[in-house]
Amino acid sequence: MSLRPLLHPQKVFDQLIILRTLGLILKVGLTFFASSTFGLSLDRPELIWILSIEALYLLSQLLLRKGGQFRSKTIFMSLLFDTLFWIAWLFFSGGATNAFISLLLLPIAVAAVLLPRWAAWRLTFVSTLAYTLMIFFEPERAMQTQGMNMSSHYWGMWFNFVISSLVLTTSVVFIAQRNREKEAELSVMREAQLRQEKLLALGMASAQMAHQLATPLSSLHLLADEVSDALPNKSMVIDEMKVALGRCENILADLRMATESIRQQKSVIFSVDELITRLQQQLLLWLPQLRLNMALGEEVNLQDNFNADTCLLPVLVALVENAAHASQSKGDDKIQQTDSVKCLESQGDDEATQCVNLTISFLVKEQVLSIAIRDFGEGIPVTLLAQLGHKILKSHQGMGIALLLSHASIERLGGRLLLSNHPEGGAVAEVQLPIMRC
């Protein structure tokens, strides 16, 4: 499991080094300057060796702090070493009778705040075991003070230590876990807010440009009529220009209609059959070169309804268009013809146009309609799969704005857009929409 602290891992490690340094200074001060004040019984040679080893360990941590991989196991191992150094110092400075035995709780507290639950429990087990062994192996004379048997007092201290460590490993771990979950939720909300701000900016820019395009398109349409009258022998070319201009005007009209629908929050109830019919009509109009294989799963009920708006069909057409470009870039003239898939022929041509091979599958599972659009291109690079549809990306093929808008539109309908690579080649864009059942 990766480290999910409340702070940045590098800052966490730096703070641990500061705490480790302060702990070493405290041990040195108690060993050489305040042992008599606090009644510590010291074994000086062993303590000098322990403090020297700990100083070398601290130095190595300072040298290796840059470029290290700060994961849960790394932080846990450093806290385990801290615990072992505290145990060794306590053992040779009075053992269970040492008044600073509660310092064993420090690594447990740090682990409870920063690390997963297992880390705090393991440190608790190590510290409690060491404390228990210190009491069992403590000389009987150390338990006697002015003729009084102090063993019950030390066992009370041990019980208090166990209760404190259990509190740390339960309540503190729970609170820290809740804080981490809230931080993760806030992070997701911040990313969603930034994405919505980008989409709002794109929407405003699109609306402004659409408004500005209306006038020049009308002018071009009038010019095309004048040129058609002046050059009757070029009527075929002029007709193609008029068709292209008409498509642009239709797109602007659809954009105005979609904008108004979103502003008024209008929704439309589609049936699966109606969606398939309209999608086929749109694709036949805008992408006549497509060679489509429509696959319906056995569990698909054409009368099932789902909630949609005016953006759904444009989103599906845009996804199909992206898939068509991906298939075409691989070389459509090399795609083998199949009996189950026939190429659409353009009207007035004797030969079939160059075709683009696509598959659109409709499946229903757990009241969710899945529309999977598969192309036969090169697929999507693995490094982009997690980012497409969520961020604006710069590449030689574009910036991923269409996918970003499609993802946002489908999310607004309560659905999801999933991108993946097909095992047999090509990419798959899967749109999932919840079905409304009576």
Side-chain angles (χ1 to χ4, degrees), residues 124-374:
T124 298
F125 173 77
V126 172
S127 300
T128 304
L129 178 62
Y131 195 173
T132 305
L133 293 176
M134 287 182 194
I135 291 181
F136 274 111
F137 290 98
E138 192 69 32
E140 186 66 25
R141 56 182 176 79
M143 297 287 186
Q144 304 288 336
T145 302
Q146 296 179 354
M148 298 176 58
N149 188 354
M150 297 292 292
S151 59
S152 59
H153 172 73
Y154 294 124
W155 278 111
M157 291 175 56
W158 174 88
F159 186 72
N160 179 64
F161 177 86
V162 172
I163 294 297
S164 301
S165 60
L166 289 177
V167 170
L168 290 175
T169 51
T170 52
S171 60
V172 175
V173 167
F174 176 76
I175 294 172
Q177 181 66 26
R178 289 292 301 272
N179 287 336
R180 281 192 285 268
E181 291 175 356
K182 289 182 179 179
E183 183 66 24
E185 292 175 359
L186 288 174
S187 178
V188 172
M189 292 176 62
R190 283 193 294 266
E191 291 179 2
Q193 183 178 1
L194 289 174
R195 187 167 65 248
Q196 292 299 325
E197 290 176 357
K198 292 179 181 178
L199 292 173
L200 178 61
L202 286 171
M204 293 176 62
S206 301
Q208 291 174 356
M209 292 179 183
H211 180 71
Q212 294 170 1
L213 280 173
T215 301
L217 280 176
S218 299
S219 301
L220 285 173
H221 208 82
L222 293 174
L223 289 173
D225 291 337
E226 294 179 2
V227 173
S228 178
D229 295 336
L231 302 172
N233 58 333
K234 300 290 185 180
S235 60
M236 184 178 295
V237 177
I238 301 301
D239 289 341
E240 292 181 359
M241 291 175 59
K242 289 182 178 180
V243 170
L245 290 172
R247 288 184 177 180
C248 292
E249 290 176 347
N250 290 334
I251 292 174
L252 284 177
D254 291 340
L255 178 59
R256 293 191 186 98
M257 187 183 303
T259 303
E260 184 67 17
S261 175
I262 293 173
R263 186 180 67 83
Q264 297 181 1
Q265 296 183 350
K266 291 182 178 179
S267 60
V268 181
I269 305 299
F270 271 101
S271 68
V272 176
D273 184 39
E274 185 179 4
L275 175 65
I276 294 175
T277 302
R278 291 195 182 188
L279 181 60
Q280 287 177 330
Q281 292 173 351
Q282 292 280 338
L283 296 179
L284 184 63
L285 176 64
W286 298 109
L287 301 169
Q289 76 278 17
L290 282 183
R291 184 173 57 199
L292 286 175
N293 179 19
M294 287 280 191
L296 292 179
E298 296 180 356
E299 65 281 0
V300 176
N301 184 356
L302 296 179
Q303 303 307 316
D304 282 340
N305 296 325
F306 56 90
N307 193 21
D309 59 18
T310 54
C311 293
L312 179 59
L313 275 175
V315 164
L316 293 177
V317 172
L319 292 175
V320 173
E321 189 174 7
N322 285 345
H325 288 315
S327 292
Q328 196 170 21
S329 64
K330 194 172 181 180
D332 302 303
D333 53 336
K334 297 182 181 180
I335 298 176
Q336 297 180 353
Q337 298 285 345
T338 62
D339 295 334
S340 60
V341 181
K342 295 183 179 180
C343 181
L344 295 173
E345 298 181 0
S346 60
Q347 296 180 357
D349 291 343
D350 295 332
E351 296 181 358
T353 59
Q354 187 181 19
C355 298
V356 180
N357 198 33
L358 289 180
T359 299
I360 303 181
S361 303
F362 290 83
L363 301 172
V364 172
K365 184 178 181 181
E366 297 179 355
Q367 296 189 3
V368 174
L369 174 65
S370 173
I371 308 170
I373 303 168
R374 181 198 171 189

Side-chain angles (χ1 to χ4, degrees), residues 371-383:
I371 308 170
I373 303 168
R374 181 198 171 189
D375 62 59
F376 293 86
E378 299 293 340
I380 303 174
V382 179
T383 54

